[in-house]
Coordinates of all heavy atoms in Angstrom, one line a residue:
M1 N -16.5 9.9 -20.0 CA -16.0 8.6 -19.7 C -16.3 8.3 -18.2 O -16.0 9.0 -17.3 CB -14.5 8.6 -19.9 CG -13.9 7.3 -19.5 SD -12.1 7.3 -19.9 CE -11.5 7.2 -18.2
T2 N -17.0 7.1 -18.0 CA -17.3 6.7 -16.7 C -16.4 5.5 -16.3 O -16.1 4.7 -17.1 CB -18.8 6.2 -16.7 OG1 -19.6 7.3 -17.0 CG2 -19.2 5.7 -15.3
I3 N -15.9 5.6 -15.1 CA -15.1 4.5 -14.5 C -15.9 3.6 -13.7 O -16.7 4.1 -12.9 CB -14.0 5.1 -13.7 CG1 -13.0 6.0 -14.5 CG2 -13.2 4.0 -13.0 CD1 -12.0 6.7 -13.7
N4 N -15.8 2.3 -13.9 CA -16.5 1.3 -13.0 C -15.8 1.4 -11.7 O -14.7 0.9 -11.5 CB -16.4 -0.1 -13.7 CG -17.2 -1.1 -12.9 OD1 -17.1 -1.1 -11.7 ND2 -17.9 -1.9 -13.6
A5 N -16.5 2.0 -10.7 CA -15.9 2.2 -9.4 C -15.6 0.9 -8.7 O -14.5 0.8 -8.0 CB -16.9 3.0 -8.5
F6 N -16.4 -0.2 -8.9 CA -16.0 -1.4 -8.2 C -14.8 -2.0 -8.8 O -13.9 -2.4 -8.0 CB -17.2 -2.4 -8.4 CG -16.9 -3.8 -7.8 CD1 -17.0 -4.0 -6.4 CD2 -16.6 -4.8 -8.6 CE1 -16.7 -5.2 -5.9 CE2 -16.3 -6.1 -8.1 CZ -16.4 -6.3 -6.7
K7 N -14.7 -2.1 -10.1 CA -13.5 -2.6 -10.8 C -12.2 -1.8 -10.4 O -11.1 -2.4 -10.2 CB -13.7 -2.7 -12.3 CG -14.6 -3.8 -12.7 CD -14.8 -3.9 -14.2 CE -15.8 -5.0 -14.6 NZ -15.9 -5.0 -16.0
F8 N -12.4 -0.5 -10.4 CA -11.2 0.4 -10.0 C -10.8 0.1 -8.6 O -9.6 0.0 -8.3 CB -11.6 1.8 -10.2 CG -10.4 2.7 -10.2 CD1 -9.6 2.9 -11.3 CD2 -10.1 3.4 -9.0 CE1 -8.5 3.8 -11.3 CE2 -9.0 4.3 -9.0 CZ -8.2 4.4 -10.1
G9 N -11.8 -0.1 -7.7 CA -11.4 -0.4 -6.3 C -10.7 -1.7 -6.2 O -9.7 -1.8 -5.4
V10 N -11.2 -2.7 -6.9 CA -10.6 -4.0 -6.9 C -9.1 -4.0 -7.5 O -8.2 -4.5 -6.9 CB -11.4 -5.1 -7.6 CG1 -10.7 -6.4 -7.8 CG2 -12.7 -5.3 -6.9
S11 N -9.0 -3.2 -8.5 CA -7.7 -3.0 -9.1 C -6.7 -2.4 -8.2 O -5.5 -2.7 -8.1 CB -7.8 -2.2 -10.4 OG -8.5 -2.8 -11.4
S12 N -7.2 -1.4 -7.5 CA -6.4 -0.7 -6.5 C -6.0 -1.6 -5.3 O -4.8 -1.6 -4.9 CB -7.2 0.5 -5.9 OG -7.5 1.4 -6.8
A13 N -6.9 -2.5 -4.9 CA -6.6 -3.4 -3.8 C -5.6 -4.4 -4.3 O -4.7 -4.8 -3.5 CB -7.9 -4.1 -3.4
I14 N -5.7 -4.9 -5.5 CA -4.7 -5.9 -6.0 C -3.4 -5.3 -6.1 O -2.3 -5.9 -5.8 CB -5.2 -6.5 -7.4 CG1 -6.5 -7.4 -7.1 CG2 -4.1 -7.3 -8.0 CD1 -7.2 -7.8 -8.4
T15 N -3.3 -4.1 -6.6 CA -2.0 -3.4 -6.8 C -1.4 -3.2 -5.4 O -0.2 -3.4 -5.2 CB -2.2 -2.0 -7.4 OG1 -2.8 -2.2 -8.7 CG2 -0.9 -1.2 -7.6
A16 N -2.2 -2.8 -4.4 CA -1.6 -2.6 -3.0 C -1.1 -3.9 -2.5 O 0.0 -4.0 -1.9 CB -2.7 -2.0 -2.1
A17 N -1.8 -5.0 -2.8 CA -1.4 -6.3 -2.3 C 0.0 -6.7 -2.9 O 0.9 -7.2 -2.2 CB -2.4 -7.4 -2.6
V18 N 0.1 -6.5 -4.2 CA 1.4 -6.8 -4.9 C 2.5 -6.0 -4.3 O 3.6 -6.5 -4.0 CB 1.2 -6.6 -6.4 CG1 2.6 -6.7 -7.1 CG2 0.3 -7.7 -7.0
L19 N 2.3 -4.7 -4.2 CA 3.3 -3.8 -3.7 C 3.7 -4.2 -2.2 O 4.9 -4.2 -1.9 CB 2.9 -2.4 -3.8 CG 2.8 -1.8 -5.2 CD1 2.2 -0.4 -5.2 CD2 4.1 -1.9 -5.9
W20 N 2.7 -4.5 -1.4 CA 3.0 -4.9 0.0 C 3.8 -6.1 0.1 O 4.8 -6.2 0.9 CB 1.6 -5.1 0.7 CG 1.8 -5.5 2.1 CD1 1.7 -6.8 2.6 CD2 2.3 -4.7 3.3 NE1 2.0 -6.8 4.0 CE2 2.3 -5.6 4.4 CE3 2.6 -3.4 3.4 CZ2 2.7 -5.1 5.6 CZ3 2.9 -2.9 4.7 CH2 3.0 -3.8 5.8
L21 N 3.5 -7.1 -0.8 CA 4.2 -8.4 -0.7 C 5.7 -8.2 -1.2 O 6.6 -8.8 -0.7 CB 3.5 -9.5 -1.5 CG 2.2 -9.9 -0.9 CD1 1.4 -10.8 -1.9 CD2 2.4 -10.6 0.4
I22 N 5.8 -7.4 -2.3 CA 7.2 -7.1 -2.7 C 8.0 -6.4 -1.7 O 9.1 -6.7 -1.4 CB 7.1 -6.2 -4.0 CG1 6.6 -7.1 -5.2 CG2 8.5 -5.7 -4.4 CD1 6.3 -6.3 -6.5
C23 N 7.4 -5.4 -1.0 CA 8.1 -4.6 0.0 C 8.4 -5.6 1.2 O 9.5 -5.5 1.7 CB 7.2 -3.5 0.5 SG 8.0 -2.4 1.7
S24 N 7.5 -6.4 1.6 CA 7.8 -7.3 2.7 C 8.9 -8.3 2.4 O 9.7 -8.6 3.2 CB 6.5 -8.1 3.0 OG 5.5 -7.2 3.5
A25 N 8.9 -8.8 1.1 CA 10.0 -9.7 0.7 C 11.3 -9.0 0.7 O 12.3 -9.6 1.2 CB 9.7 -10.2 -0.7
L26 N 11.4 -7.7 0.3 CA 12.6 -7.0 0.3 C 13.1 -6.7 1.7 O 14.3 -6.8 2.0 CB 12.4 -5.6 -0.4 CG 12.3 -5.7 -2.0 CD1 12.0 -4.4 -2.6 CD2 13.6 -6.3 -2.6
V27 N 12.2 -6.5 2.6 CA 12.6 -6.3 4.0 C 13.1 -7.6 4.6 O 14.1 -7.6 5.3 CB 11.4 -5.8 4.9 CG1 11.7 -5.9 6.4 CG2 11.0 -4.4 4.5
M28 N 12.6 -8.7 4.2 CA 13.1 -10.0 4.7 C 14.4 -10.3 4.1 O 15.3 -10.9 4.8 CB 12.1 -11.1 4.4 CG 10.9 -11.1 5.2 SD 9.8 -12.5 4.7 CE 8.2 -12.0 5.2
L29 N 14.6 -10.0 2.8 CA 15.9 -10.3 2.2 C 17.0 -9.3 2.4 O 18.2 -9.7 2.5 CB 15.6 -10.4 0.6 CG 14.7 -11.5 0.2 CD1 14.4 -11.4 -1.3 CD2 15.3 -12.9 0.5
M30 N 16.7 -8.1 2.5 CA 17.7 -7.0 2.7 C 17.3 -6.0 3.8 O 17.0 -4.9 3.5 CB 17.9 -6.2 1.4 CG 18.3 -7.1 0.3 SD 18.5 -6.2 -1.3 CE 16.8 -5.8 -1.7
P31 N 17.2 -6.5 5.1 CA 16.7 -5.6 6.1 C 17.5 -4.3 6.4 O 16.8 -3.3 6.5 CB 16.7 -6.5 7.4 CG 17.6 -7.7 7.0 CD 17.6 -7.8 5.6
T32 N 18.8 -4.4 6.3 CA 19.6 -3.2 6.6 C 19.4 -2.2 5.5 O 19.2 -1.0 5.8 CB 21.1 -3.6 6.7 OG1 21.2 -4.6 7.7 CG2 21.9 -2.4 7.1
M33 N 19.4 -2.6 4.3 CA 19.3 -1.7 3.2 C 17.9 -1.1 3.2 O 17.7 0.1 2.9 CB 19.5 -2.4 1.8 CG 19.4 -1.6 0.6 SD 19.4 -2.7 -0.8 CE 20.4 -1.9 -1.9
M34 N 16.9 -1.9 3.4 CA 15.5 -1.3 3.4 C 15.3 -0.4 4.6 O 14.5 0.6 4.5 CB 14.5 -2.5 3.5 CG 14.5 -3.3 2.2 SD 14.2 -2.4 0.7 CE 12.5 -2.0 0.9
L35 N 15.9 -0.6 5.8 CA 15.8 0.2 6.9 C 16.4 1.6 6.6 O 15.8 2.7 6.9 CB 16.4 -0.4 8.1 CG 16.2 0.3 9.5 CD1 14.7 0.4 9.8 CD2 16.9 -0.4 10.6
S36 N 17.6 1.6 5.9 CA 18.2 2.8 5.5 C 17.4 3.6 4.5 O 17.2 4.8 4.6 CB 19.6 2.5 4.9 OG 20.2 3.6 4.5
M37 N 16.8 2.9 3.5 CA 16.0 3.5 2.5 C 14.7 4.1 3.2 O 14.3 5.2 2.8 CB 15.6 2.5 1.4 CG 14.9 3.2 0.3 SD 14.8 2.1 -1.1 CE 13.4 1.1 -0.6
S38 N 14.1 3.4 4.1 CA 12.9 3.9 4.8 C 13.2 5.1 5.6 O 12.5 6.1 5.6 CB 12.3 2.8 5.7 OG 11.9 1.7 5.0
G39 N 14.4 5.1 6.2 CA 14.8 6.3 7.0 C 15.0 7.5 6.1 O 14.6 8.6 6.4
N40 N 15.6 7.3 4.9 CA 15.8 8.4 3.9 C 14.5 8.9 3.4 O 14.3 10.1 3.3 CB 16.7 7.9 2.8 CG 18.1 7.6 3.1 OD1 18.6 8.1 4.1 ND2 18.8 6.8 2.4
M41 N 13.5 8.0 3.2 CA 12.2 8.4 2.7 C 11.5 9.2 3.7 O 10.7 10.1 3.4 CB 11.4 7.2 2.3 CG 12.0 6.5 1.0 SD 11.2 4.9 0.7 CE 9.5 5.3 0.5
L42 N 11.7 8.9 5.0 CA 10.9 9.6 6.1 C 11.8 10.7 6.7 O 11.3 11.3 7.7 CB 10.5 8.6 7.2 CG 9.6 7.5 6.7 CD1 9.4 6.4 7.8 CD2 8.2 8.1 6.3
H43 N 13.0 11.0 6.2 CA 13.8 12.0 6.7 C 14.1 11.7 8.2 O 14.1 12.7 9.1 CB 13.3 13.4 6.6 CG 12.9 13.7 5.2 ND1 13.8 13.9 4.2 CD2 11.6 13.8 4.6 CE1 13.1 14.2 3.0 NE2 11.8 14.1 3.2
M44 N 14.4 10.5 8.6 CA 14.6 10.1 9.9 C 15.9 9.2 10.0 O 16.2 8.6 9.0 CB 13.4 9.3 10.5 CG 12.2 10.1 10.6 SD 10.8 9.1 11.1 CE 11.3 8.8 12.8
Q45 N 16.4 9.1 11.2 CA 17.6 8.2 11.4 C 17.0 6.9 12.0 O 16.8 6.9 13.2 CB 18.6 8.9 12.3 CG 19.9 8.2 12.4 CD 20.6 8.2 11.1 OE1 20.6 7.2 10.4 NE2 21.3 9.3 10.7
L46 N 16.8 5.9 11.2 CA 16.2 4.7 11.7 C 17.3 3.6 11.9 O 16.9 2.5 12.3 CB 15.2 4.2 10.7 CG 14.0 5.1 10.5 CD1 13.1 4.5 9.4 CD2 13.3 5.5 11.8
N47 N 18.5 3.8 11.6 CA 19.5 2.8 11.7 C 19.7 2.1 13.0 O 20.0 0.9 13.1 CB 20.9 3.3 11.3 CG 20.9 3.8 9.8 OD1 20.1 3.3 9.0 ND2 21.8 4.7 9.5
E48 N 19.4 2.8 14.1 CA 19.5 2.2 15.4 C 18.3 1.3 15.8 O 18.3 0.5 16.7 CB 19.6 3.2 16.5 CG 21.0 4.0 16.4 CD 21.1 5.1 17.4 OE1 20.3 5.1 18.3 OE2 22.0 5.9 17.2
M49 N 17.2 1.5 15.0 CA 16.0 0.6 15.2 C 16.2 -0.6 14.4 O 17.1 -0.8 13.6 CB 14.8 1.4 14.7 CG 14.5 2.6 15.5 SD 13.1 3.6 14.9 CE 11.8 2.5 15.1
G50 N 15.3 -1.5 14.5 CA 15.3 -2.8 13.7 C 13.9 -3.1 13.3 O 12.9 -2.6 13.7
W51 N 13.9 -4.0 12.3 CA 12.6 -4.5 11.8 C 12.0 -5.6 12.8 O 12.8 -6.4 13.3 CB 12.7 -5.1 10.5 CG 13.1 -4.2 9.4 CD1 14.3 -4.1 8.7 CD2 12.3 -3.2 8.8 NE1 14.2 -3.2 7.8 CE2 13.0 -2.5 7.8 CE3 11.0 -2.7 9.1 CZ2 12.5 -1.5 7.1 CZ3 10.5 -1.6 8.3 CH2 11.3 -1.0 7.3
H52 N 10.8 -5.6 13.0 CA 10.1 -6.6 13.7 C 9.0 -7.1 12.7 O 7.9 -6.7 12.7 CB 9.4 -6.1 15.0 CG 8.7 -7.1 15.8 ND1 9.4 -8.1 16.4 CD2 7.4 -7.4 15.9 CE1 8.5 -8.9 17.0 NE2 7.3 -8.5 16.7
L53 N 9.4 -8.1 11.9 CA 8.6 -8.5 10.8 C 8.2 -10.0 11.1 O 9.1 -10.9 11.1 CB 9.3 -8.4 9.5 CG 8.5 -8.6 8.2 CD1 7.3 -7.6 8.1 CD2 9.4 -8.5 7.0
T54 N 6.9 -10.3 11.3 CA 6.5 -11.7 11.5 C 5.5 -12.0 10.4 O 4.9 -11.1 9.7 CB 5.8 -11.8 12.8 OG1 4.6 -11.0 12.8 CG2 6.7 -11.4 14.0
L55 N 5.2 -13.2 10.2 CA 4.2 -13.7 9.2 C 2.8 -13.1 9.5 O 2.2 -12.6 8.6 CB 4.2 -15.2 9.1 CG 3.2 -15.7 8.1 CD1 3.5 -15.3 6.7 CD2 3.2 -17.3 8.1
I56 N 2.5 -13.1 10.8 CA 1.2 -12.5 11.2 C 1.2 -11.0 10.8 O 0.2 -10.5 10.4 CB 0.9 -12.7 12.7 CG1 0.8 -14.2 13.0 CG2 -0.3 -12.0 13.1 CD1 -0.4 -14.9 12.3
G57 N 2.3 -10.3 11.1 CA 2.3 -8.9 10.8 C 2.2 -8.6 9.3 O 1.6 -7.6 8.9
V58 N 2.8 -9.4 8.5 CA 2.8 -9.3 7.1 C 1.3 -9.5 6.6 O 0.8 -8.7 5.8 CB 3.7 -10.3 6.3 CG1 3.4 -10.3 4.8 CG2 5.1 -9.9 6.6
I59 N 0.6 -10.5 7.1 CA -0.7 -10.7 6.7 C -1.7 -9.6 7.2 O -2.5 -9.2 6.5 CB -1.2 -12.1 7.3 CG1 -0.4 -13.2 6.6 CG2 -2.7 -12.3 7.1 CD1 -0.6 -14.6 7.2
Q60 N -1.5 -9.2 8.5 CA -2.3 -8.1 9.0 C -2.1 -6.8 8.2 O -3.1 -6.1 7.8 CB -2.0 -7.8 10.4 CG -2.5 -8.9 11.4 CD -2.1 -8.6 12.8 OE1 -1.1 -8.0 13.1 NE2 -2.8 -9.2 13.7
G61 N -0.9 -6.5 7.8 CA -0.6 -5.3 7.0 C -1.2 -5.5 5.6 O -1.7 -4.5 5.0
L62 N -1.1 -6.7 5.1 CA -1.6 -6.9 3.7 C -3.2 -6.7 3.7 O -3.7 -6.0 2.9 CB -1.4 -8.4 3.3 CG -1.9 -8.9 2.0 CD1 -1.3 -8.1 0.9 CD2 -1.7 -10.4 1.9
V63 N -3.8 -7.2 4.7 CA -5.3 -7.0 4.8 C -5.6 -5.5 5.0 O -6.5 -5.0 4.3 CB -5.9 -7.9 5.9 CG1 -7.4 -7.5 6.2 CG2 -5.8 -9.3 5.6
A64 N -4.9 -4.9 5.9 CA -5.2 -3.4 6.1 C -5.0 -2.6 4.8 O -5.8 -1.7 4.5 CB -4.3 -2.9 7.2
W65 N -3.9 -2.8 4.1 CA -3.6 -2.1 2.9 C -4.5 -2.4 1.8 O -5.0 -1.5 1.0 CB -2.1 -2.3 2.5 CG -1.2 -1.4 3.2 CD1 -0.3 -1.8 4.2 CD2 -1.1 0.0 3.1 NE1 0.3 -0.7 4.7 CE2 -0.1 0.5 4.0 CE3 -1.7 1.0 2.3 CZ2 0.2 1.8 4.2 CZ3 -1.4 2.3 2.5 CH2 -0.4 2.7 3.4
V66 N -4.9 -3.7 1.6 CA -5.9 -4.1 0.6 C -7.2 -3.4 0.8 O -7.8 -2.9 -0.1 CB -6.0 -5.6 0.5 CG1 -7.2 -6.1 -0.3 CG2 -4.7 -6.2 -0.1
V67 N -7.7 -3.5 2.0 CA -9.0 -2.9 2.3 C -8.9 -1.3 2.1 O -9.8 -0.8 1.5 CB -9.5 -3.2 3.8 CG1 -10.7 -2.4 4.2 CG2 -9.8 -4.7 3.9
S68 N -7.9 -0.7 2.7 CA -7.7 0.7 2.5 C -7.6 1.2 1.1 O -8.3 2.1 0.6 CB -6.5 1.2 3.3 OG -6.6 1.0 4.6
A69 N -6.8 0.5 0.3 CA -6.6 0.8 -1.1 C -7.9 0.6 -1.9 O -8.3 1.3 -2.8 CB -5.5 0.0 -1.7
G70 N -8.6 -0.5 -1.6 CA -9.9 -0.8 -2.3 C -10.9 0.2 -2.1 O -11.6 0.7 -3.0
I71 N -11.1 0.7 -0.8 CA -12.0 1.7 -0.5 C -11.6 3.0 -1.1 O -12.4 3.7 -1.7 CB -12.2 1.8 1.0 CG1 -12.9 0.6 1.6 CG2 -13.0 3.1 1.4 CD1 -12.9 0.5 3.1
A72 N -10.3 3.4 -1.0 CA -9.8 4.6 -1.6 C -10.0 4.6 -3.1 O -10.4 5.6 -3.7 CB -8.4 4.8 -1.2
G73 N -9.7 3.5 -3.8 CA -9.9 3.4 -5.2 C -11.4 3.5 -5.6 O -11.7 4.3 -6.6
W74 N -12.3 2.9 -4.9 CA -13.7 3.0 -5.2 C -14.2 4.4 -5.0 O -14.9 4.9 -5.8 CB -14.5 2.0 -4.3 CG -15.9 2.3 -4.3 CD1 -16.8 1.8 -5.3 CD2 -16.7 3.1 -3.5 NE1 -18.1 2.2 -5.0 CE2 -18.0 3.0 -3.9 CE3 -16.4 3.8 -2.3 CZ2 -19.1 3.7 -3.3 CZ3 -17.4 4.5 -1.7 CH2 -18.7 4.5 -2.2
L75 N -13.7 5.0 -3.9 CA -14.1 6.4 -3.6 C -13.6 7.4 -4.7 O -14.4 8.3 -5.1 CB -13.6 6.8 -2.2 CG -14.1 8.2 -1.7 CD1 -15.6 8.3 -1.6 CD2 -13.4 8.5 -0.4
L76 N -12.4 7.2 -5.1 CA -11.8 8.0 -6.1 C -12.6 7.9 -7.4 O -13.0 8.9 -8.1 CB -10.4 7.6 -6.4 CG -9.6 8.4 -7.5 CD1 -9.4 9.8 -7.1 CD2 -8.3 7.7 -7.8
A77 N -13.0 6.7 -7.8 CA -13.7 6.5 -9.1 C -15.2 7.1 -8.9 O -15.7 7.7 -9.9 CB -13.8 5.0 -9.4
A78 N -15.8 6.9 -7.8 CA -17.1 7.4 -7.5 C -17.2 8.9 -7.6 O -18.1 9.5 -8.2 CB -17.7 6.9 -6.2
I79 N -16.2 9.5 -7.0 CA -16.1 11.0 -7.0 C -15.8 11.5 -8.4 O -16.5 12.4 -8.9 CB -15.1 11.5 -6.0 CG1 -15.5 11.3 -4.6 CG2 -14.8 13.0 -6.3 CD1 -14.4 11.5 -3.6
F80 N -14.9 10.8 -9.1 CA -14.6 11.2 -10.5 C -15.9 11.1 -11.4 O -16.2 12.0 -12.2 CB -13.6 10.2 -11.1 CG -13.3 10.5 -12.5 CD1 -12.4 11.5 -12.9 CD2 -13.9 9.7 -13.5 CE1 -12.1 11.7 -14.2 CE2 -13.6 9.9 -14.9 CZ -12.7 10.9 -15.2
N81 N -16.7 10.0 -11.2 CA -17.9 9.8 -12.0 C -18.9 10.9 -11.7 O -19.6 11.4 -12.6 CB -18.5 8.4 -11.8 CG -17.7 7.3 -12.4 OD1 -16.9 7.6 -13.3 ND2 -17.8 6.1 -11.8
R82 N -19.0 11.3 -10.4 CA -19.9 12.4 -10.0 C -19.5 13.7 -10.7 O -20.4 14.5 -11.2 CB -20.0 12.6 -8.5 CG -20.7 11.6 -7.8 CD -22.2 11.9 -7.9 NE -23.0 11.0 -7.1 CZ -23.9 11.3 -6.3 NH1 -24.3 12.5 -6.1 NH2 -24.5 10.3 -5.7
L83 N -18.2 14.0 -10.7 CA -17.7 15.2 -11.2 C -17.9 15.2 -12.8 O -18.1 16.3 -13.3 CB -16.3 15.4 -10.9 CG -16.0 15.7 -9.4 CD1 -14.5 15.8 -9.1 CD2 -16.7 17.0 -9.0
Q84 N -17.8 14.1 -13.4 CA -18.0 14.0 -14.8 C -19.5 14.4 -15.2 O -19.7 15.0 -16.3 CB -17.8 12.6 -15.4 CG -16.3 12.3 -15.4 CD -15.6 13.1 -16.5 OE1 -15.0 14.1 -16.2 NE2 -15.6 12.6 -17.7
K85 N -20.4 14.0 -14.4 CA -21.8 14.3 -14.6 C -22.2 15.8 -14.4 O -23.2 16.3 -14.9 CB -22.7 13.4 -13.7 CG -22.6 12.0 -14.1 CD -23.5 11.1 -13.2 CE -23.3 9.7 -13.5 NZ -24.1 8.8 -12.6
A86 N -21.4 16.5 -13.5 CA -21.7 17.8 -13.2 C -21.4 18.8 -14.3 O -20.6 18.7 -15.1 CB -21.0 18.2 -11.9

């Protein structure tokens, strides 16, 4: 089975965009709860810190995650296809 590396990369990028936007919305709507949850996930005490979330920051993060996920998805599919041929 061969995976279309381009389509897999695009799918990865779209998935990252959706997740990033959901996460950003949750931070805007429930900042204290999300800060606590982030601290728990990172095994850190983040309660004394605060969020610095701006529209520009959301857009920059969105672009960075979309590009990163797209490249990672494409690379994953390309390596998988190479290993299938070996």
Side-chain angles (χ1 to χ4, degrees):
M1 176 176 114
T2 301
I3 297 174
N4 183 317
F6 178 76
K7 288 181 180 179
F8 192 82
V10 170
S11 298
S12 299
I14 292 169
T15 301
V18 169
L19 293 175
W20 177 260
L21 292 172
I22 290 170
C23 183
S24 295
L26 288 172
V27 168
M28 286 182 204
L29 295 172
M30 302 178 289
T32 304
M33 180 190 223
M34 294 303 291
L35 190 61
S36 177
M37 188 169 79
S38 297
N40 291 337
M41 290 169 60
L42 297 171
H43 308 287
M44 296 176 68
Q45 191 65 260
L46 300 178
N47 293 337
E48 294 178 13
M49 298 175 63
W51 293 111
H52 180 72
L53 188 64
T54 63
L55 181 59
I56 295 297
V58 171
I59 293 170
Q60 288 174 338
L62 177 65
V63 170
W65 277 108
V66 165
V67 170
S68 299
I71 291 171
W74 170 83
L75 184 60
L76 177 67
I79 291 170
F80 177 83
N81 289 338
R82 283 280 181 136
L83 292 173
Q84 285 292 96
K85 293 178 183 177

